[in-house]
Amino acid sequence: MMTQAPGGSPAVAVLRELAQGERRVALVPGALAPLLDAGYRVLVESGAGEAAGFSDEEYRAQGARVTGRAAAVGEAQVLAGVRGPVSETVTALAAGTVVVGQFSPATDPAMVTALAEGGLCAFSLELLPRITRAQSMDVLSSQATVTGYRAVLLAAARLERFFPMLMTAAGTIPPAKVFVLGAGVAGLQAVATHRRLGAAVPAHDVRKAAQGEVASLSARFVGPPGLSVGASPGGYTAQQPAGL
């Protein structure tokens, strides 16, 4: 059970992410109001939002208290993070603290062990069921959308030609042809972004439902002969024939 800090309301702490290259922050200033309205205090480590474009002053303006890392960890009843906390933070958290983030339990069992040994209550958001009630907490879909969009920007920057068809005084430049493998959340965002840039986009997926989704974006669905595009009775898609 989450305990309340002596003399005050329970605290939600947000720390600066320490993983190399990680620029995200678990809570942005605009998301603090519901927590404050529910009676929580919000503690933000100084500099936690800088890499994501949010200053300490913006957090203060929304009602958060900006403090040092040790103070935030020491007062936290809830710790919100993008990734799992580092070992020093796990050790410093009080037993019973609720930790929310993405812990990659399948590939980082040591993290799960450390959280359990510390007596912490952990919610790994990437394991939430992808159902209607949980859509607002679906971190996989939201980040896949960003991935698909950014992949197109990186491809456009590296390609040594234009994406759209251009008609110039020197002649016509045909549109670039881009093949998207996989038409899930990231793939469909990639298809849509490529189309906005004017590329010709065929796309492929093993799920039958993806054909209509690709077509809705004015792209062409393709697949090799013999490919099964149906879904299995109890799973995401059917296993493909050997040799494909």
Side-chain angles (χ1 to χ4, degrees):
M1 173 182 288
M2 184 177 66
T3 58
Q4 184 170 306
S9 55
V12 177
V14 180
L15 305 181
R16 180 170 56 88
E17 298 291 326
L18 299 180
Q20 184 176 4
E22 181 58 75
R23 299 178 60 184
R24 296 172 294 177
V25 62
L27 283 173
V28 300
L32 302 188
L35 292 171
L36 297 170
D37 291 344
Y40 289 91
R41 294 177 294 129
V42 179
L43 309 178
V44 178
E45 179 187 3
S46 180
E50 285 183 358
F54 302 104
S55 66
D56 290 348
E57 288 69 26
E58 289 177 274
Y59 282 102
R60 290 191 183 98
Q62 294 299 321
R65 177 160 67 90
V66 178
T67 184
R69 189 178 189 89
V73 172
E75 294 185 45
Q77 283 82 50
V78 179
L79 178 65
V82 175
R83 305 196 188 194
V86 297
S87 57
E88 292 83 358
T89 300
V90 172
T91 303
L93 288 169
T97 301
V98 176
V99 186
V100 183
Q102 298 178 74
F103 305 134
S104 303
T107 57
D108 190 5
M111 170 66 69
V112 177
T113 300
L115 293 171
E117 291 179 347
L120 307 178
C121 180
F123 291 89
S124 194
L125 293 180
E126 70 268 44
L127 299 183
L128 281 171
R130 301 181 76 180
I131 58 177
T132 301
R133 290 176 60 191
Q135 280 185 345
S136 62
M137 298 180 286
D138 187 353
V139 296
L140 296 181
S141 291
S142 66
Q143 296 308 291
T145 297
V146 176
T147 299
Y149 175 76
R150 183 164 175 78
V152 177
L153 301 185
L154 294 174
R158 293 181 65 89
L159 186 66
E160 296 179 350
R161 57 167 296 169
F162 297 111
F163 268 21
M165 179 180 71
L166 296 179
M167 300 179 69
T168 72
T172 299
I173 300 174
K177 296 179 180 179
V178 180
F179 185 38
V180 176
L181 284 170
V185 175
L188 289 173
Q189 181 59 241
V191 169
T193 306
H194 279 303
R195 292 290 298 148
R196 293 187 189 103
L197 292 177
V201 188
H204 163 74
D205 197 280
V206 296
R207 295 173 298 119
K208 186 175 182 178
Q211 295 183 71
E213 293 168 348
V214 169
S216 71
L217 296 172
S218 300
R220 181 168 57 90
F221 186 88
V222 297
L227 181 69
S228 172
V229 294
S232 64
Y236 187 67
T237 188
Q239 183 174 346
Q240 303 308 303
L244 285 179

